[in-house]
Amino acid sequence: MDKKKTKINTPQTVTSYINGEWVEPKKSTHQLPIIHPANEAEVSILYEADAKEVKTAAKAAKKTFESGLWSKASVDDRKAVLLAIRDLILENQEEIAELEVMNTGVPIAQVCGRQIPRSAMNFEFFAEFISQASSPVFDQNPDYITYVRREPVGVAGLIAPWNAPMALATMKVAGAIAFGNSCVLKPSELTPLGFIPFMNLLSKAGLPDGVVNMVNGRGGVTGAAMTQEEDIDLIAFTGGTETGRLIASEAGKTLKKTVTELGGKSANIIFSDADFERALDAALVAIFSNNGQQCLAGSRILVEKPIAKEFKKRFVERVHNLKIGDPYDKNTEIGPLISRNQNERVASFADAAEQSKNTNILCGGKRPKAFEKGYYFEPTVVESSDNQSAICQEEIFGPFATILEFEGIEEALQITNDSKFGLVSYVWSTDVRKIMKAQADIRAGVVWVNTPLMRELRAPFGGYKNSGIGRDGGEWSRNLFTEEKTVSIPLKDFPIAKLGER
Ligand code: TXE
C-alpha cells in the first residue's frame, strides 16, 4: 500500500473486546494474519477467540443485560446514546474508512461515499424508530384491557461478513441495542480492523460496558462457538448460503431465533422500451460497485433481443474504461478482491466460461497483468445462451457480469425465477403494465424498478429461497430483536370459579 495515501496507524493486534476492555494478546492463542488485498502485505495479526473466550463474552453480555442498565433504560436515554454513536462514527470516518479499505480493497470513494455514511445512518435510523414505535392495545372486550409489550430478547449473536464490514455489522448492532439487547459481534476474520476504532467510540458515546462485546476469529471456531453458546439467545447472520445452512441448523439445537441474509444471483431485466442510457449506467453500478462483491449485485443482466447487440457493445466499451487500481486512489472504480481464495473462485468461473460452448467471454476473465501483487481480477463480461450454466446459477461474488438475451416478458420472468436464489431484482421499462406484471411475478425479496441499489431502511430486506430466512429493516428488525409479551388486565371484578370449596 502506498503509505503516503493513508494517515492512520494500523492496529498491530486484533483481539476480543469484552465488557469494555480489550483482551490482552497471548502468545499461545491461535493467530491469523490480516492481509491488505491490494499488495498482499500482512498488516496486523488477529488473536482468535476460542469457545472459552466466546463464553466469557456471552456471560458479560448477559450480566449487563440482566442488570437492566441498558435493557431497561428509557427510550430517550437509548436514543441519545445511539445518536452520539452516529456522531462519533462521522467524526472518526476517515480512520474507519481507511481501515475498511485496508481490509477489503473496496475503493475509498465507495467506502466514504456509501458505507461509512450508511453505518452512521443505521444508528440514527434505529434511534428515530424506537422513539416513534408503538404496540397494539386490544380493548374490544369491555371487561379487559389487553396490550402488547415489546421486550429485548437478551443476548444477540451477530455474525457479519467481509464485503461491507462496517455497514452490514452496524445494521445488526444498531438494531440489537436500540431495542435494549446486549450483543456479541463477530466480524469476518478477514475484516476486523475498522471495528477497533468503532468499539472504542461506543463507551465515549455513553453506552454501558458489556452491551456490545466483540470476538474475532474463524467461522468454524469462534462463529461455531457462538451458535452453540447457551447464553446467546438469537443469531443474526449475513454471509454465504452454505454457512447460513450450517448456522441455522446449529442454532436450532439451542432454539435460538435466527435470521439469515444469504447470497444472490439477481436478475437485472432490461426491456427494449427502457430508458437505455439510464439502464446502462445502472447495470454497471449494480454489478461493479464494491468490486462486484455484494449480495444485491445485478449479476445476471437479461436484455431484450431488439436492444441486446447495442447494449452489449456499449456495456463492454464502458467496462474497458473502468479504472482498476489502488483502492486508496480516489479515482479507482475497481479494487482487488478480498482474498486469494475469492480471486481463485472468480477465476474458476472464467475458466468454466471459456470451456463451455454456451458461453462467450466478451471481455476480462483474467488477472490483470499490470499488478504484480494483489488479488485483482479484470472486470469480466460473459454472454450466455443457457441460464442453467454455472455462471448463471452460482453466486460468483466478483466483478463478473453475465448477459442473457430474452424475447418478451414471459421468457424474462421464466429466466429470472429459474434460480435457487431470490434476494433482489431489477426491472427497466417505461411500460407500467410490464412493470406491474414483473413486480408481482418475480420471486425475490426486493424489486427495484428503474433504479439500482435503493435500500429503504424502513422496509423489509431479505430473500426468498436460498437467499435467506427473515428480514431486517424497521418493523422487521424489531420483530427479530424483541419478544412480544401480551398483558391482560380486568377492568372490573368478575366471578372466578371456586374450585375446592364445598
Ligand atoms: O463467507 P462466510 P465466505 C457469499 C459469496 C461468497 C461466499 C463464501 O458468494 O463467495 O458466500 O464467502 C462466519 N459458524 N457471501 O465463505 O463463510 C465467517 O467467519 C458461524 C455472501 O467468506 O459465509 C464470517 O464472519 N459463523 C454475502 C461470516 O460467517 C461462521 C457476504 C461470513 O462468512 C461459520 C459474504 C460457522 N460454521 C459472502 N462459518 C452476503 N450475503 O452479502 C463461517 N462463519
Side-chain angles (χ1 to χ4, degrees):
M1 184 195 41
D2 183 348
K3 269 276 163 217
K4 280 171 288 185
K5 288 186 182 136
T6 61
K7 298 185 193 74
I8 44 151
N9 290 321
T10 310
Q12 291 305 294
T13 55
V14 176
T15 59
S16 297
Y17 184 82
I18 300 175
N19 210 21
E21 285 178 5
W22 292 101
V23 170
E24 281 297 316
K26 279 194 232 80
K27 270 204 181 129
S28 57
T29 306
H30 184 79
Q31 294 163 31
L32 303 163
I34 302 295
I35 307 288
H36 178 44
N39 61 9
E40 302 173 42
E42 187 177 310
V43 291
S44 185
I45 296 176
L46 182 152
Y47 289 73
E48 182 168 74
D50 59 10
K52 198 168 151 224
E53 200 160 301
V54 170
K55 190 169 269 311
T56 309
K59 287 229 172 300
K62 189 172 179 181
K63 196 167 168 216
T64 312
F65 179 77
E66 286 175 347
S67 76
L69 194 60
W70 181 253
S71 55
K72 294 203 160 101
S74 76
V75 163
D76 282 348
D77 286 350
R78 291 209 298 260
K79 180 179 174 187
V81 171
L82 291 170
L83 292 176
I85 296 174
R86 172 203 62 187
D87 293 345
L88 285 166
I89 291 176
L90 294 175
E91 267 172 40
N92 293 282
Q93 58 182 312
E94 200 176 345
E95 181 186 7
I96 297 174
E98 290 191 358
L99 289 172
E100 287 271 280
V101 175
M102 183 166 313
N103 257 181
T104 59
V106 172
I108 189 124
Q110 296 173 26
V111 172
C112 291
R114 244 183 36 204
Q115 298 187 7
I116 306 300
R118 165 71 196 279
S119 306
M121 174 54 80
N122 289 335
F123 287 93
E124 178 179 315
F125 174 77
F126 282 108
E128 301 297 346
F129 185 93
I130 55 172
S131 79
Q132 294 294 328
S134 60
S135 285
V137 172
F138 300 95
D139 58 3
Q140 291 89 341
N141 183 336
D143 299 338
Y144 283 91
I145 182 128
T146 292
Y147 57 90
V148 180
R149 286 171 56 87
R150 292 282 197 153
E151 297 178 356
V153 177
V155 177
L158 312 175
I159 303 179
W162 43 261
N163 54 328
M166 196 54 67
L168 296 176
T170 51
M171 181 71 185
K172 298 184 197 304
V173 173
I177 67 175
F179 297 107
N181 298 277
S182 293
C183 61
V184 178
L185 165 70
K186 192 193 91 60
S188 163
E189 60 274 32
L190 302 175
T191 55
L193 291 179
F195 294 96
I196 295 178
F198 174 72
M199 287 294 153
N200 287 333
L201 63 79
L202 295 177
S203 47
K204 280 191 205 139
L207 190 72
D209 291 343
V211 177
V212 178
N213 305 275
M214 174 171 73
V215 291
N216 280 297
R218 288 165 294 175
V221 177
T222 315
M226 288 172 70
T227 56
Q228 289 156 14
E229 175 53 54
E230 291 278 350
D231 282 338
I232 291 181
D233 302 298
L234 72 87
I235 295 282
F237 169 72
T238 300
T241 295
E242 284 319 310
T243 314
R245 258 194 202 105
L246 242 167
I247 286 178
S249 61
E250 268 307 306
K253 291 181 191 160
T254 44
L255 282 183
K256 297 186 201 322
K257 237 175 163 179
T258 307
V259 160
T260 55
E261 197 263 275
L262 309 175
K265 190 73 191 177
S266 301
N268 182 358
I269 310 171
I270 305 173
F271 289 100
S272 46
D273 58 54
D275 180 331
F276 186 93
E277 297 301 325
R278 287 181 64 76
L280 176 66
D281 290 345
L284 288 152
V285 169
I287 182 61
F288 292 117
S289 49
N290 224 59
N291 300 335
Q293 301 169 140
Q294 45 183 359
C295 55
L296 34 71
S299 51
R300 278 188 302 156
I301 305 174
L302 277 50
V303 191
E304 200 162 17
K305 274 208 159 61
I307 57 164
K309 196 168 163 211
E310 176 67 7
F311 182 88
K312 285 182 210 174
K313 179 173 151 279
R314 296 279 308 284
F315 190 80
V316 169
E317 273 168 18
R318 294 276 292 274
V319 172
H320 278 303
N321 288 338
L322 286 172
K323 192 168 176 327
I324 315 173
D326 180 353
Y328 281 105
D329 183 331
K330 289 200 171 68
N331 297 314
T332 292
E333 293 171 313
I334 304 260
L337 299 183
I338 184 75
S339 63
R340 185 176 301 282
N341 275 351
Q342 195 61 17
N343 188 284
E344 282 167 7
R345 178 180 158 81
V346 175
S348 74
F349 283 101
D351 293 345
E354 203 160 322
Q355 304 297 323
S356 164
K357 58 181 186 325
N358 298 320
T359 55
N360 180 28
I361 300 182
L362 298 179
C363 68
K366 296 196 171 49
R367 296 177 180 92
K369 292 209 174 67
F371 302 93
E372 268 174 33
K373 290 252 174 201
Y375 309 128
Y376 289 94
F377 200 82
E378 286 175 349
T380 301
V381 185
V382 177
E383 59 181 351
S384 173
S385 56
D386 177 13
N387 189 52
Q388 281 307 311
S389 59
I391 59 162
C392 297
Q393 290 293 324
E394 301 301 325
E395 184 177 50
I396 298 174
F397 227 58
F400 194 120
T402 304
I403 303 185
L404 291 136
E405 294 184 19
F406 69 89
E407 261 181 302
I409 187 165
E410 295 300 342
E411 193 186 10
L413 296 175
Q414 183 272 320
I415 297 173
T416 297
N417 290 334
D418 176 19
S419 170
K420 61 188 173 197
F421 295 110
L423 191 58
V424 307
S425 57
Y426 306 75
V427 179
W428 290 85
S429 173
T430 47
D431 179 341
V432 73
R433 292 194 187 160
K434 239 181 244 174
I435 292 169
M436 292 311 288
K437 178 166 174 55
Q439 58 84 37
D441 289 359
I442 289 172
R443 305 274 300 156
V446 174
V447 182
W448 283 315
V449 178
N450 295 334
T451 176
L453 312 177
M454 160 51 187
R455 179 72 170 88
E456 168 56 83
L457 294 183
R458 299 171 189 87
F461 182 85
Y464 284 37
K465 303 190 262 185
N466 282 3
S467 293
I469 297 179
R471 301 288 184 267
D472 69 13
E475 194 57 41
W476 294 267
S477 295
R478 178 157 84 141
N479 289 340
L480 170 64
F481 289 119
T482 60
E483 294 280 10
E484 286 158 310
K485 181 186 278 175
T486 299
V487 181
S488 292
I489 302 174
L491 300 177
K492 61 181 187 203
D493 283 347
F494 56 88
I496 300 175
K498 293 184 179 296
L499 299 184
E501 197 175 80
R502 286 174 189 274

